[in-house]
Amino acid sequence: MTRNEIQALFDLPFNDLLFRAQAVHRENFDPNEVQVSTLLSIKTGACPEDCKYCSQSIRYDTGLEREALMAVDDVVEKAKLAKANGATRFCMGAAWRGPKDKQLAVVEAMVREVRALGMETCATLGMLTPAQAGRLADAGLDYYNHNLDTSPEYYGEVITTRCYGDRLDTLAAVRDAGINVCSGGILGLGESNADRVGLLHALATLPEHPQSVPINQLVRVPGTPMADAAPVDPFDFVRTIAVARILMPRAHVRLSAGRSEMSDELQALCFFAGANSIFYGEKLLTTGNPDTERDNALFERLGIRPERPAEQSAAPRRAAS
Ligand code: SAM
Ligand code: DTB
Ligand code: SF4
């Protein structure tokens, strides 16, 4: 798939694009099921990286309170709550450039215990070496989130403390360890439409499609360089979901950050375009998310059911295959 071919999908009349995306969606998924994940920030703020969108970078004064790495028991309590509220996957995020080996040992314990609750586990900890990815796989980690964020050309405008190649290396380490890859991007960083094409091209031409593709709308955080970025045209957001669905037919496409700013009608269009996963629970990592009552009501009004996770295997994917 070339960038020109992807651009041609973006250029389709809206109804034609959505019809195609919905057809692909139906061939691969139950169109009335949406996967439900809950996020927890297990280590907050003071991140050495300079991602211009992020509340947690040490370089910007966002008023965020720092929190050291949480205790394993406290994380397990939060996971139990998320499970009781209906989440089937628990995603643990840390504001690190990458974990130190001692920190990773604590995360491994979290993964083991959350998995023992019968939940799917996901972590997003920054860059990983192949050895670190192997350790997480051995602990039973189901998914690792590591976003490409934008096109390779635009990346340097958003982050200067690491490069696109670093991101691709971590994704390779995760894939090779047999952990499911969760990788997507953010819209609203001031990128052009061509950059959105470039992002989806990069994701869809990885050696394997990511199993999960989060599409975030920038949450504009006061104090960050992106605080006043122009809002995304909602139809362009829907188009991006639709093109992601067509390019990566078997991936769960997640309607991720930014739902608090979206109407129910816009979210419904995103589901129609092929989004079939959300973050559920009142908080993302540091910013707000729709409250659970609103999400439950939306699912009810749209006839959407939460997706039940695949039978949990006793061992991680690597050992199982
Ligand atoms: N520090 C790790 C990293 O960046 O890989 C993991 C945590 S980081 C907060 C996870 C992802 O959240 C980022 O890659 C970015 O795509 C997304 N993100 C962070 N701040 C955001 C914001 N203000 N709006 C939308 N997405 C955001
Ligand atoms: C992803 O793509 N989006 C999530 C998750 N992966 C880790 C994070 C969204 C963060 C939004 C800003 C915040 O709450 O700090
Ligand atoms: Fe740090 Fe991740 Fe935020 Fe970048 S996105 S500043 S790496 S926490």
Side-chain angles (χ1 to χ4, degrees), residues 37-197:
S37 295
T38 289
L39 272 171
L40 176 68
S41 182
I42 58 169
K43 183 269 169 181
T44 307
C47 182
E49 304 284 79
D50 71 351
C51 312
K52 287 200 176 96
Y53 49 75
C54 188
S55 62
Q56 306 200 67
S57 168
I58 198 160
R59 297 170 198 236
Y60 317 126
D61 183 8
T62 62
L64 183 71
E65 218 165 291
R66 303 174 181 185
E67 279 170 54
L69 182 58
M70 288 175 70
V72 177
D73 288 353
D74 294 340
V75 171
V76 174
E77 282 314 305
K78 295 278 187 189
K80 281 183 186 161
L81 268 178
K83 187 179 180 192
N85 284 330
T88 55
R89 189 178 306 162
F90 194 65
C91 180
M92 295 163 272
W96 288 322
R97 175 174 164 83
K100 302 209 168 61
D101 285 346
K102 247 178 145 173
Q103 296 166 330
L104 195 69
V106 179
V107 178
E108 287 168 51
M110 292 173 184
V111 169
R112 285 205 172 85
E113 295 209 18
V114 172
R115 206 165 189 270
L117 301 175
M119 297 185 89
E120 292 180 322
T121 53
C122 175
T124 180
L125 316 170
M127 297 187 222
L128 295 183
T129 62
Q132 290 178 323
R135 282 173 56 179
L136 287 169
D138 289 340
L141 185 71
D142 297 294
Y143 288 81
Y144 194 79
N145 166 251
H146 200 66
N147 291 336
L148 292 179
D149 280 346
T150 189
S151 68
E153 310 82 80
Y154 195 63
Y155 200 75
E157 300 291 321
V158 183
I159 299 149
T160 68
T161 49
R162 55 172 189 252
C163 62
Y164 220 66
D166 295 328
R167 292 311 257 188
L168 295 173
D169 287 349
T170 293
L171 290 180
V174 170
R175 200 169 46 240
D176 292 347
I179 300 170
N180 290 303
V181 169
C182 170
S183 187
I186 310 181
L187 302 196
L189 304 172
E191 74 285 353
S192 65
N193 197 38
D195 292 316
R196 294 172 188 163
V197 170

Side-chain angles (χ1 to χ4, degrees), residues 167-243:
R167 292 311 257 188
L168 295 173
D169 287 349
T170 293
L171 290 180
V174 170
R175 200 169 46 240
D176 292 347
I179 300 170
N180 290 303
V181 169
C182 170
S183 187
I186 310 181
L187 302 196
L189 304 172
E191 74 285 353
S192 65
N193 197 38
D195 292 316
R196 294 172 188 163
V197 170
L199 166 68
L200 293 185
H201 181 262
L203 292 168
T205 56
L206 288 169
E208 236 183 275
H209 289 165
Q211 280 73 27
S212 174
V213 178
I215 306 290
N216 296 277
Q217 175 171 281
L218 174 69
V219 179
R220 287 173 289 180
V221 179
T224 63
M226 297 274 177
D228 299 315
V232 182
D233 177 336
F235 295 127
D236 287 343
F237 191 87
V238 177
R239 281 177 184 279
T240 306
I241 297 223
V243 175

